[in-house]
Amino acid sequence: MKKSSEIDRSGEYWMSNLPQEIAERPLVCTAIPGSHDSFTQLLFDKYPVANDESRFVREIGRFRMVRRFIRRWATTQRYSVVKQLYVGVRYFDIRLTVPLPAKLYGIRVLHALYGSCIEQLLSFINDFLDNHSKEIVILDFNHLYNFNCIEYIKFLEMVESIFGRKLCLRGEDITKISLASMWHLGYQVIAISAAETKAHRSVSWIWDSNCILSPYANVNRNDKLFKFLDRTIREHRQDPRSVFFVTQAVLTVNWFDILVHPFSTFERKYALKCTEEAISWITTFDEPSYFNIIICDFIDHLDFCNIIMSGIRSRSRKMLFLNWPFLMLRSCCSINKRSNREEQYHIRNSDCGKYSWDKEKPNPAEYCFVNLYGEIAIKSDGHITGEQFTVEKCKECCILLLDYLATVNVDDCEECLIVTGPCRGSVFIRDCKNITLFTISQQFRSRDCINIDVFLFCTTKPIIESSKLMRFRSLILSYDKVEEHMMKASLSPFINNWNNVHDFTPDDVPNFEICITEYDNIKKMDMIRNVKNITFFPELSFLPLYAVPNKITGKKILILCMERDGETLTSFNGRILRFLKEILAQGAELITTRDMTIRKKELETSFICKKYAKLSGRLITLEIAWNREETEKSIRMISDIVEVVDDCDFEHHRATLYRFAQMQTDIC
């Protein structure tokens, strides 16, 4: 046995050393070792019982002697997060809380008792990743206690500030994520949020809990446990889903089990026996390729990792995960509540399905423009259809991607003009110079770019990093089927943060500028004007033209637009867009828009005005700068379900509705 002061580094580089054919497999069919309740190595008995326990337990936990007793059954790991990383753990099972005691600061891990601050633990992981560029981790924040909207947003901002561009952006198909693809894009962290929460749309790196299944046996006997594990993993693979699958050997010890063994611990009484049987079950399982994420308690016990590696080597001809350095299994501890994800796991008796990675895949050569010079390259409707597209090493080209897309990567391009249709994910430009980009996207990011003109419609805050001379303008664009493509990309024409730019690397001199939409100094516009069915005129644009905030001179007015009974989404959007075009053509300036859905009585506590407190259904707000009389005149001509907020209520109603729109997309 190794001394406790020594660090076992046997799994330090296991991902980096994988053969290329394994690195190119989807992560959902790669064996990944993990730990259960990963950060419970240090639980504090000097603080009250944590708020994941019942009121009765918290009451009797007022006595420190009781809390010491609880700690013996709540601790599930002996290794610190750093030691876990070095032995090869790459999946972390995380419970978080905003502590109830006022004297406890920061967001903390918990498991019956409060543990360390999560910020410090994530910083340790980031330090490891900085020195191990080909190792990736999955952070599963699967239980969040006592979080409100504000606390949750602060938590997301903290995670982003720690990991930055290491965070893997959320996509439509998780089976496209492999070690090789993450290495190529520089990603090292997949962050998954709990089922009861939903990340703000601006946080495009949070994956929701639909991307992972963790079937949970909720039993305290090994025989029942392994029958459950055998059945669930087989039936999952017969009817596969494109998700991560966590294998858990879960022994849920109840309070009776604990009380009849008052002088023992969970580790001695249950965990070791479960781990021994888990090793036997895994090494004799007839379909080893079924395993994906495998987690256990007390990963330091019995030299667990080396025992499993020896078993893998001895069965190398039969086991698909031949050279993978670890297999680990989860034996769940006491005081563990029933997982919310159990409800997501439904076994269906159907014929054997086909794995998504076995299906015929599109030819990558059809979804890229590479090494073009001086060309006009076009992909029209039906030629991309929601796939990822790459533009690389092109010079002095005009590139049009007039379809809806998943993501767009633009790398090492110079002197180009690029137009993209609606992108449901991110548009990411890197190492580019002197280009002009017209794009509609869920997220925009740039890195190491110089002298870029961006005509932008972006659902979330645009992000720039190590980039200079970036100029952002409101996008006006029209081409055949752009409205249909917006719907397919799930983008609302009224959620646009084009001018709310975040600079990860600010300098004394601003690296970006918000500019008026004009084309006088834009190169290659003559080339693009010769292309049929694409225009850049405000009166023809599907998207409205937004004004530059610091150049607005008129009086600010807030307009509320409500949907009619039975009105379709397309009809509602079209009606409001036509109204906007009419008033903008008459001289109004558009400042910002919001799109939200309100349930009955949801605003009653927020509004003093009873008229607006009763609002329900879909609501679009338009903030404009114009003459109030002209505004009211235009509204009277079109509808009685478009209203202008009184001047005296402008600030209150604006703040309330904007805050509501923000909260609605923060937390599900």
Side-chain angles (χ1 to χ4, degrees):
M1 296 291 289
K2 297 176 180 62
K3 295 180 180 180
S4 59
S5 59
E6 296 178 353
I7 295 181
D8 179 0
R9 296 175 178 265
S10 56
E12 183 177 0
Y13 292 101
W14 76 267
M15 285 184 165
S16 307
N17 296 330
L18 286 175
Q20 186 64 24
E21 61 270 20
I22 295 179
E24 291 178 352
R25 287 181 186 148
L27 283 177
V28 295
C29 58
T30 302
I32 300 172
S35 56
H36 163 242
D37 276 318
S38 302
F39 303 144
T40 58
Q41 178 235 359
L42 186 62
L43 295 174
F44 300 104
D45 60 25
K46 63 181 179 179
Y47 299 127
V49 173
N51 50 307
D52 61 335
E53 287 303 315
S54 66
R55 179 175 295 181
F56 172 74
V57 176
R58 293 201 301 270
E59 285 296 325
I60 64 174
R62 291 177 180 271
F63 302 99
R64 189 162 187 175
M65 180 179 66
V66 175
R67 297 197 297 271
R68 288 175 177 172
F69 176 78
I70 290 174
R71 186 174 64 180
R72 297 207 306 266
W73 291 86
T75 301
T76 65
Q77 299 298 334
R78 294 295 178 193
Y79 269 7
S80 67
V81 61
V82 174
K83 287 185 177 181
Q84 290 185 45
L85 287 164
Y86 277 106
V87 299
V89 172
R90 296 296 180 266
Y91 168 90
F92 293 93
D93 170 43
I94 306 169
R95 298 172 179 232
L96 296 178
T97 186
V98 177
L100 292 177
K103 61 182 178 181
L104 273 175
Y105 64 90
I107 298 171
R108 290 180 176 262
V109 299
L110 80 166
H111 193 222
L113 298 173
Y114 293 110
S116 303
C117 287
I118 187 62
E119 184 172 6
Q120 182 184 29
L121 298 171
L122 296 182
S123 296
F124 289 149
I125 295 176
N126 187 59
D127 292 342
F128 175 85
L129 296 176
D130 283 340
N131 297 312
H132 302 78
S133 60
K134 285 194 171 183
E135 300 300 305
I136 70 103
V137 297
I138 300 172
L139 304 178
D140 189 1
F141 303 105
N142 51 48
H143 288 74
L144 301 178
Y145 298 93
N146 200 34
F147 277 80
N148 58 28
C149 173
I150 295 174
E151 295 290 348
Y152 187 62
I153 294 173
K154 288 181 179 178
F155 165 66
L156 295 179
E157 290 175 346
M158 179 263 292
V159 174
E160 185 168 353
S161 69
I162 292 173
F163 294 111
R165 62 189 183 188
K166 293 187 183 76
L167 291 160
C168 178
L169 298 182
R170 180 177 63 248
E172 291 295 315
D173 188 357
I174 202 167
T175 64
K176 294 182 179 179
I177 297 180
S178 64
L179 285 173
S181 68
M182 293 188 70
W183 294 343
H184 175 70
L185 295 172
Y187 298 146
Q188 289 183 269
V189 180
I190 295 175
I192 303 172
S193 174
E196 59 267 28
T197 64
K198 183 179 180 181
H200 189 285
R201 288 184 183 178
S202 65
V203 185
S204 59
W205 46 264
I206 275 286
W207 296 73
D208 63 41
S209 59
N210 292 326
C211 76
I212 189 167
L213 287 175
S214 300
Y216 177 51
N218 194 27
V219 296
N220 61 355
R221 286 171 44 185
N222 283 338
D223 56 343
K224 292 183 178 180
L225 167 64
F226 290 103
K227 285 181 181 178
F228 173 85
L229 291 180
D230 192 276
R231 175 172 57 86
T232 53
I233 195 169
R234 291 182 189 278
E235 296 195 14
H236 168 70
R237 291 306 184 186
Q238 287 177 358
D239 187 17
R241 301 186 190 182
S242 301
V243 294
F244 290 114
F245 187 87
V246 182
T247 299
Q248 308 181 64
V250 177
L251 286 181
T252 306
V253 183
N254 56 44
W255 281 104
F256 177 79
D257 298 322
I258 297 172
L259 293 175
V260 297
H261 303 101
F263 303 108
S264 188
T265 66
F266 171 69
E267 178 183 359
R268 292 199 303 266
K269 191 65 183 177
Y270 291 94
L272 294 183
K273 294 177 182 178
C274 184
T275 300
E276 291 172 3
E277 192 158 340
I279 294 172
S280 175
W281 177 69
I282 289 180
T283 54
T284 58
F285 192 71
D286 59 346
E287 294 289 349
S289 62
Y290 283 4
F291 293 116
N292 181 204
I293 296 171
I294 312 168
I295 64 179
C296 75
D297 292 310
F298 301 106
I299 60 169
D300 57 310
H301 271 304
L302 303 177
D303 216 6
F304 184 84
C305 298
N306 285 326
I307 292 173
I308 295 299
M309 284 190 288
S310 298
I312 293 173
R313 285 191 289 268
S314 66
R315 294 171 54 83
S316 60
R317 291 184 178 271
K318 294 183 179 180
M319 302 185 79
L320 184 62
F321 38 85
L322 170 63
N323 292 316
W324 300 344
F326 299 100
L327 280 174
M328 300 184 181
L329 200 61
R330 176 181 188 175
S331 54
C332 186
C333 73
S334 62
I335 322 175
N336 190 4
K337 295 188 182 299
R338 192 176 184 86
S339 170
N340 291 334
R341 292 198 179 132
E342 183 184 357
E343 302 301 324
Q344 299 176 26
Y345 191 81
H346 302 287
I347 298 170
R348 293 180 288 180
N349 296 320
S350 60
D351 295 333
C352 182
K354 189 175 183 180
Y355 290 98
S356 59
W357 52 85
D358 289 331
K359 296 177 182 177
E360 184 178 353
K361 295 184 178 180
N363 181 6
E366 296 293 325
Y367 301 98
C368 64
F369 288 139
V370 181
N371 291 321
L372 302 183
Y373 181 83
E375 298 185 31
I376 298 179
I378 302 176
K379 290 284 186 179
S380 55
D381 177 54
H383 288 83
I384 303 177
T385 58
E387 294 291 334
Q388 177 177 331
F389 203 93
T390 300
V391 180
E392 187 175 355
K393 296 180 180 178
C394 295
K395 190 171 183 180
E396 298 187 17
C397 293
C398 179
I399 295 172
L400 308 180
L401 309 177
L402 305 182
D403 201 351
Y404 71 100
L405 310 98
T407 61
V408 178
N409 292 322
V410 182
D411 296 317
D412 298 308
C413 292
E414 296 183 28
E415 305 290 345
C416 290
L417 187 148
I418 302 171
V419 181
T420 82
C423 179
R424 71 180 69 181
S426 65
V427 172
F428 197 179
I429 63 172
R430 296 173 291 196
D431 302 301
C432 293
K433 298 178 182 178
N434 308 323
I435 72 168
T436 299
L437 177 67
F438 296 79
T439 186
I440 304 169
S441 66
Q442 195 265 344
Q443 185 188 57
F444 172 85
R445 299 182 69 178
S446 75
R447 189 169 74 208
D448 300 315
C449 294
I450 299 175
N451 194 31
I452 310 295
D453 286 287
V454 185
F455 292 79
L456 183 64
F457 180 99
C458 189
T459 300
T460 63
K461 295 179 181 180
I463 295 172
I464 66 173
E465 183 176 0
S466 303
S467 300
K468 297 183 181 298
L469 300 178
M470 303 287 294
R471 292 173 293 276
F472 290 87
R473 296 177 170 89
S474 174
L475 174 68
I476 47 177
L477 172 67
S478 178
Y479 68 85
D480 289 348
K481 297 191 176 182
V482 63
E483 182 176 1
E484 178 184 331
H485 293 165
M486 285 282 288
M487 294 288 289
K488 289 181 176 179
S490 302
L491 299 177
S492 167
F494 302 104
I495 303 177
N496 189 5
N497 281 282
W498 70 279
N499 62 343
N500 195 5
V501 180
H502 177 71
D503 188 353
F504 267 129
T505 52
D507 207 341
D508 293 337
V509 178
N511 294 317
F512 68 92
E513 182 181 1
I514 307 300
C515 304
I516 296 173
T517 299
E518 57 185 7
Y519 307 108
D520 294 342
N521 298 319
I522 304 301
K523 298 179 180 180
K524 301 191 182 301
M525 285 301 294
D526 291 337
M527 292 176 65
I528 204 170
R529 287 192 178 108
N530 295 327
V531 178
K532 293 182 179 179
N533 301 322
I534 180 170
T535 61
F536 300 90
F537 300 111
E539 60 273 16
L540 299 177
S541 174
F542 169 70
L543 300 170
L545 174 64
Y546 292 80
V548 177
N550 60 6
K551 298 185 182 298
I552 291 172
T553 57
K555 182 180 180 61
K556 292 183 179 180
I557 298 170
L558 185 64
I559 302 174
L560 308 183
C561 308
M562 293 146 282
E563 66 178 347
R564 299 188 177 107
D565 292 339
E567 189 172 23
T568 65
L569 178 62
T570 302
S571 175
F572 182 42
N573 286 348
R575 177 165 61 87
I576 304 306
L577 287 170
R578 287 192 297 272
F579 168 67
L580 256 180
K581 286 183 181 180
E582 290 178 8
I583 62 175
L584 294 180
Q586 297 175 43
E589 295 177 289
L590 181 60
I591 301 172
T592 188
T593 56
R594 294 289 190 276
D595 189 345
M596 66 199 81
T597 301
I598 303 171
R599 300 183 183 91
K600 288 184 178 180
K601 300 183 179 181
E602 198 165 20
L603 295 180
E604 285 187 355
T605 59
S606 302
F607 277 95
I608 300 174
C609 176
K610 293 183 179 180
K611 177 181 179 182
Y612 296 131
K614 295 181 179 180
L615 287 175
S616 65
R618 186 140 175 265
L619 174 68
I620 291 172
T621 64
L622 313 175
E623 185 178 345
I624 65 171
W626 202 24
N627 179 281
R628 185 176 183 87
E629 292 181 359
E630 292 293 334
T631 303
E632 292 177 340
K633 179 180 177 181
S634 297
I635 288 175
R636 285 195 298 270
M637 293 176 61
I638 62 162
S639 176
D640 59 350
I641 54 175
V642 177
E643 298 185 5
V644 181
V645 174
D646 293 338
D647 290 343
C648 60
D649 295 327
F650 174 83
E651 292 295 340
H652 171 69
H653 287 18
R654 179 184 183 275
T656 300
L657 288 171
Y658 286 14
R659 184 169 61 250
F660 179 82
Q662 184 92 354
M663 291 173 60
Q664 190 174 75
T665 51
D666 286 337
I667 305 294
C668 184

